[in-house]
Amino acid sequence: SQTIHQWPATLVQPVGSPLSLECTVEGTSNPNLYWYRQAAGRGLQLLFYSVGIGQISSEVPQNLSASRPQDRQFILSSKKLLLSDSGFYLCAWNGGDEAKNIQYFGAGTRLSVL
Amino acid sequence: AQSVTQLGSHVSVSEGALVLLRCNYSSSVPPYLFWYVQYPNQGLQLLLKYTTGATLVKGINGFEAEFKKSETSFHLTKPSAHMSDAAEYFCAVRAGGTSYGKLTFGQGTILTVHP
């Protein structure tokens, strides 16, 4: 069966520090991968998605970047964190045929920028 | 482009009462529709989905939803609320075809269940 891992679960970082959040998927190949941010009371905002190694699409302009160095690895990064980067970050994947295409989510990373 | 509106950011019910969480969508193409549940500090778990076929779909934990094209709605219901249903619920829409599986989420509805 397929599983998705995100780490760390919780992170507290000072303003101006770098960021690296990692997400890996097991039990599938060539998944579509997604990074979302969830701010309190604001639902989920899609930040990036990737349909293959090295292929990254950005949905919103921001202080963050994403990379996909391996088929089942998706990394969210920042060179210098801002206070506004605080939030709950979720990684997701989907795969399979069109009709059954469902997104599965990781457990999330709670980022607090102080 | 797609959009989702969840009516009511907070819904409160008594244990054993009917749960009704409202979702309206807009989509320029036939949509795929989803309901997810999120417990505190956890990821999202799929409750149910509509892609094609029967418009009344049943999900986990006794929840169901009905796709009504004429009303552009996909409301989530459960006949009898349980304390364990307390969580945040998200409705999401995805366009069929080449959309790379991207979902557009509503703002979420926090369900509180009183004893």
Side-chain angles (χ1 to χ4, degrees):
Chain A
S1 63
Q2 301 89 356
T3 55
I4 179 169
H5 302 281
Q6 269 189 260
W7 66 92
T10 306
L11 190 61
V12 180
Q13 293 284 96
V15 170
S17 65
L19 173 74
S20 181
L21 303 181
E22 189 162 342
C23 170
T24 59
V25 181
E26 297 178 357
T28 188
S29 59
N30 197 32
N32 292 342
L33 296 172
Y34 309 85
W35 277 113
Y36 291 88
R37 176 168 58 204
Q38 186 177 19
R42 297 180 62 182
L44 282 82
Q45 181 183 39
L46 179 63
L47 302 177
F48 301 95
Y49 69 94
S50 172
V51 299
I53 297 174
Q55 300 179 55
I56 307 294
S57 296
S58 175
E59 288 291 293
V60 293
Q62 58 204 307
N63 183 44
L64 302 169
S65 62
S67 61
R68 184 171 178 174
Q70 301 180 45
D71 181 44
R72 291 170 290 175
Q73 184 185 30
F74 204 24
I75 297 172
L76 185 69
S77 305
S78 174
K79 292 182 178 179
K80 291 185 177 181
L81 283 168
L82 306 172
L83 288 173
S84 58
D85 291 324
S86 294
F88 192 50
Y89 289 83
L90 290 159
C91 180
W93 73 276
N94 71 8
D97 63 75
E98 194 68 20
K100 299 179 181 179
N101 217 310
I102 297 170
Q103 280 194 24
Y104 298 95
F105 285 80
T109 295
R110 175 75 59 191
L111 173 66
S112 298
V113 182
L114 305 177
Chain B
Q2 294 78 41
S3 67
V4 177
T5 301
Q6 290 183 239
L7 300 176
S9 58
H10 291 80
V11 171
S12 181
V13 301
S14 299
E15 192 174 20
L18 171 71
V19 175
L20 171 60
L21 304 182
R22 299 178 187 273
C23 172
N24 288 89
Y25 70 91
S26 68
S27 177
S28 56
V29 297
Y32 296 166
L33 295 159
F34 305 83
W35 276 99
Y36 283 86
V37 61
Q38 184 181 32
Y39 299 99
N41 293 310
Q42 294 186 25
L44 275 69
Q45 179 183 6
L46 181 71
L47 276 178
L48 48 80
K49 66 181 184 353
Y50 169 79
T51 52
T52 58
T55 57
L56 181 64
V57 292
K58 297 184 183 298
I60 62 172
N61 302 338
F63 285 94
E64 62 182 35
E66 186 171 10
F67 170 60
K68 292 187 176 181
K69 184 178 179 180
S70 61
E71 298 178 8
T72 60
S73 69
F74 191 56
H75 302 329
L76 181 70
T77 61
K78 182 174 180 178
S80 177
H82 191 273
M83 297 295 289
S84 61
D85 295 327
E88 189 164 15
Y89 292 79
F90 292 93
C91 182
V93 64
R94 185 204 141 192
T98 307
S99 64
Y100 305 110
K102 293 186 291 181
L103 295 178
T104 299
F105 284 87
Q107 295 300 96
T109 298
I110 296 173
L111 175 65
T112 303
V113 182
H114 297 287

